Amino acid sequence: MRPELVLYHAHAACSRVTLTALEQCGHPYEDRLLVMQQGEHKAPAFLAINPDGKVPTLLVDGRALAENGAILMWLAQTFPQAGLFPPTTSAWDRARHLSDLLWVSSGWHPYVRANKMPSLWTTGDPEPVRTRGRELLGGVVQQLEDHLVDRPWWYGADWSIIDTFLWWAYTNAEIGGFSIAAFPRVQAHRQAHEALPQLQSALAREAAALAIREKERT
């Protein structure tokens, strides 16, 4: 039986990774964009679905699954033909895939937020938080630069959803003023990634949803 999928997402949020994964899976889904600037993620209707008020949240036959890591692993296991991770029958390799996913979600993601939205991390002067966020970002971006020395993608010759999560992280870091100009392999990774049809489809879907919501407000 084909599951009914509904994704709650927000403009430029890490839900772009989930959108890209869903586009790659090719399974029909509905998307519902929340305008966070208007507090829609904290509205009672959405909190009844996800009490944490966070995106992405994926409804699977009416049941809510939150956190990118959990959603992406479920999608990878449910739609193995999509190739969100390299194929494997090894429990060790699956654990390594999860390790990489958690590294981006629990490492990169907080650094991006500290750099992009430091006021969320302090009630005082946000600039020291932004400065520290950029320092920490410099370390993980250098790790990515070094990792790409002999490969175009994180796992080698082929794209995986880890590449999309990394792309989301460093492009959102740029919004906060972090530059990847000193990282030529990361720049090449970005150029190759932004040419992928699954990402272009995801961004187009997000843009269409945003346009509808903006039209509703006018």
Side-chain angles (χ1 to χ4, degrees):
M1 185 174 179
R2 291 161 63 87
E4 180 179 302
L5 304 180
V6 179
L7 178 70
Y8 287 87
H9 62 113
H11 174 63
C14 64
S15 49
R16 281 183 170 176
V17 185
T18 325
L19 275 169
T20 304
L22 285 165
E23 290 296 315
Q24 177 70 8
C25 290
H27 185 83
Y29 68 97
E30 179 184 347
D31 69 279
R32 299 175 184 172
L33 185 137
L34 300 177
V35 182
M36 289 190 161
Q37 294 84 347
Q38 296 184 5
E40 291 181 354
H41 60 306
K42 298 298 183 182
F46 183 62
L47 291 177
I49 296 169
N50 182 347
D52 291 329
K54 296 172 64 177
V55 297
T57 297
L58 183 68
L59 292 184
V60 182
D61 294 331
R63 298 181 298 170
L65 184 61
E67 301 296 335
N68 241 328
I71 295 170
L72 296 174
M73 291 304 296
W74 182 83
L75 288 173
Q77 293 167 11
T78 305
F79 304 103
Q81 74 285 354
L84 297 181
F85 291 94
T88 182
T89 58
S90 163
W92 177 262
D93 286 344
R94 288 194 295 270
R96 288 299 306 168
H97 297 164
L98 179 59
S99 175
D100 292 338
L101 183 57
L102 294 177
W103 174 59
V104 185
S105 62
S106 65
W108 285 66
H109 198 297
Y111 304 161
V112 170
R113 179 170 287 189
N115 172 70
K116 183 181 176 184
M117 298 178 288
S119 60
L120 296 178
W121 292 104
T122 181
T123 57
D125 182 1
E127 285 311 306
V129 176
R130 190 190 304 275
T131 298
R132 182 56 177 155
R134 288 181 182 174
E135 291 172 352
L136 293 168
L137 276 168
V140 292
V141 176
Q142 185 62 58
Q143 283 181 259
L144 177 58
E145 178 77 8
D146 294 342
H147 187 78
L148 296 174
V149 66
D150 59 350
R151 63 192 68 195
W153 304 109
W154 180 255
Y155 288 119
D158 298 318
W159 167 89
S160 74
I161 199 61
I162 295 293
D163 293 289
T164 299
F165 214 155
L166 291 165
W167 167 86
W168 174 85
Y170 59 66
T171 55
N172 268 259
E174 285 187 314
I175 295 173
F178 181 89
S179 174
I180 63 170
F183 305 95
R185 297 188 195 101
V186 175
Q187 293 180 67
H189 181 272
R190 176 179 185 173
Q191 183 176 8
H193 193 274
E194 292 180 352
L196 294 173
Q198 61 267 40
L199 176 69
Q200 293 176 1
S201 295
L203 294 179
R205 187 150 181 164
E206 182 192 280
L210 183 62
I212 291 171
R213 295 306 313 279
E214 289 177 342
K215 186 176 180 179
E216 290 173 348
R217 296 200 303 271
T218 59

